[in-house]
Amino acid sequence: MKTLTTIALALATVATGPLSANDIRTESVSAEAKWLLHLNLDVFRETAMGSYLSESFIKPRADETPMGFRIKTEDIYEGIHAITAYGNTYQVDTDAIGVLLVRMEENLKSIFEATLIQQEAAGGESPDIKTIQTDPYTVYTKGNELFAAILPRDVVVISKSLDQLVSAVDVVEDRAPGLDESDSDFSEMTRADDTFFFLATAEGFNQSGAIPPQARVLRMAEAARLALGEGTEDVFLNLTLMAQNETVRDQLAKIVQGLLALISLSQIDNQ
């Protein structure tokens, strides 16, 4: 039986709570996903970190229009609810290894699409941005290197692979199974409550040759989840590792406890 060991860290004190609710729309994520990154901007904007980002970087550039789009930086920051990236491979010899789901306000999505249409019209006979599909949904491309699907729902799907984009849209529009229909361990690892604004989870990475020797502890885990959030006073991190059995779980726990002890000693030495 596979078992979990959970480690909670805080920048000042240890703080943890069970991960229970699910902000991630798992029905829009492919059942074949092996890794996932999720940023809940609605939660992040309410944190001290989000406020600092807004005051220091967003508001001073509020009227800028990044990447040539006629959408103000502040409107983008306030209009996006969440960003989810996922993929079903760890292949490193290709740039197209996943898709991006951007959940946004309807008016921001309309402005985004209108900007794409305007840029295509302004491009003449060889526009950098062009429409390659209008039915059953619209797909735009930027130099045939980046593709975006504008869906009737509040989601824009982006990928460097047209095939992966089409597959992702099939999931969002219920033509292919989502992660919510899976009883896999990975599906369970995507759960996080509203105190977390960032979550990263992956499974099967222990078989990847990309793990460096310094991170060999990860080879003992079959899956991992990292969640970042902010409490009343502290920013905290919750790390969950999934092991094949209790023996490996206990070994992982001892290794991590040793690392925590080293961190504690380092904090004392720096005082």
Side-chain angles (χ1 to χ4, degrees), residues 14-25:
V14 175
T16 183
L19 301 183
S20 54
N22 197 348
D23 163 72
I24 301 172
R25 290 185 177 178

Side-chain angles (χ1 to χ4, degrees), residues 4 8 17 40-41 43 58 125 141 154 164 196 213 232 234 239 265:
L4 297 176
N40 185 334
L41 278 167
V43 173
I58 302 299
E125 296 183 359
T141 182
D154 60 350
Q164 290 187 29
F196 293 91
T232 305
D234 303 318
L239 173 64
L265 288 174

Side-chain angles (χ1 to χ4, degrees), residues 89-98 160 164 208 210:
T89 179
Y90 295 105
Q91 187 176 352
V92 295
D93 58 351
T94 176
D95 291 331
I97 62 170
K160 298 187 74 173
Q164 290 187 29
S208 172

Side-chain angles (χ1 to χ4, degrees), residues 35-50:
W35 59 266
L36 179 145
L37 304 173
H38 178 75
L39 176 62
N40 185 334
L41 278 167
D42 286 337
V43 173
F44 179 73
R45 281 190 293 266
E46 299 301 318
T47 65
M49 294 176 63

Side-chain angles (χ1 to χ4, degrees), residues 16-221:
T16 183
L19 301 183
S20 54
N22 197 348
D23 163 72
I24 301 172
R25 290 185 177 178
T26 52
E27 70 274 13
S28 297
V29 176
S30 172
E32 299 179 356
K34 297 296 182 185
W35 59 266
L36 179 145
L37 304 173
H38 178 75
L39 176 62
N40 185 334
L41 278 167
D42 286 337
V43 173
F44 179 73
R45 281 190 293 266
E46 299 301 318
T47 65
M49 294 176 63
S51 297
Y52 174 79
L53 176 67
S54 178
E55 294 296 328
S56 301
F57 298 98
I58 302 299
K59 289 185 177 179
R61 298 170 175 79
D63 293 328
E64 292 183 5
T65 53
M67 298 180 292
F69 292 122
R70 297 173 185 177
I71 311 173
K72 294 181 179 180
T73 301
E74 188 172 29
D75 292 335
I76 296 173
Y77 182 65
E78 296 292 337
I80 295 178
H81 296 297
I83 301 172
T84 304
Y86 73 86
N88 58 10
T89 179
Y90 295 105
Q91 187 176 352
V92 295
D93 58 351
T94 176
D95 291 331
I97 62 170
V99 298
L100 199 66
L101 308 179
V102 184
R103 185 155 51 93
M104 62 181 69
E105 291 284 345
E106 183 65 33
N107 63 335
L108 178 60
K109 186 174 68 122
S110 298
I111 295 171
F112 176 65
E113 183 168 21
T115 300
L116 294 175
I117 294 172
Q118 290 171 359
Q119 291 200 3
E120 180 177 13
E125 296 183 359
S126 301
D128 187 36
I129 293 177
K130 61 182 179 180
T131 307
I132 60 173
Q133 175 181 308
T134 58
D135 186 54
Y137 51 87
T138 305
V139 177
Y140 298 91
T141 182
K142 179 176 175 58
N144 289 319
E145 294 181 351
L146 189 66
F147 303 88
I150 312 295
L151 304 184
R153 300 172 61 176
D154 60 350
V155 177
V156 172
V157 183
I158 301 172
S159 180
K160 298 187 74 173
S161 164
L162 181 58
D163 290 339
Q164 290 187 29
L165 180 131
V166 171
S167 297
V169 171
D170 284 344
V171 176
V172 173
E173 298 195 332
D174 300 323
R175 290 188 292 272
L179 202 56
D180 62 321
E181 299 178 35
S182 172
D183 59 359
S184 67
D185 297 320
F186 180 75
S187 176
E188 197 65 27
M189 296 285 274
T190 61
R191 299 175 65 82
D193 64 29
D194 288 341
T195 61
F196 293 91
F197 56 78
F198 175 77
L199 180 142
T201 184
E203 72 169 356
F205 52 81
N206 55 337
Q207 304 298 320
S208 172
I211 297 179
Q214 298 89 337
R216 59 183 178 274
V217 63
L218 293 178
R219 291 193 178 276
M220 300 174 64

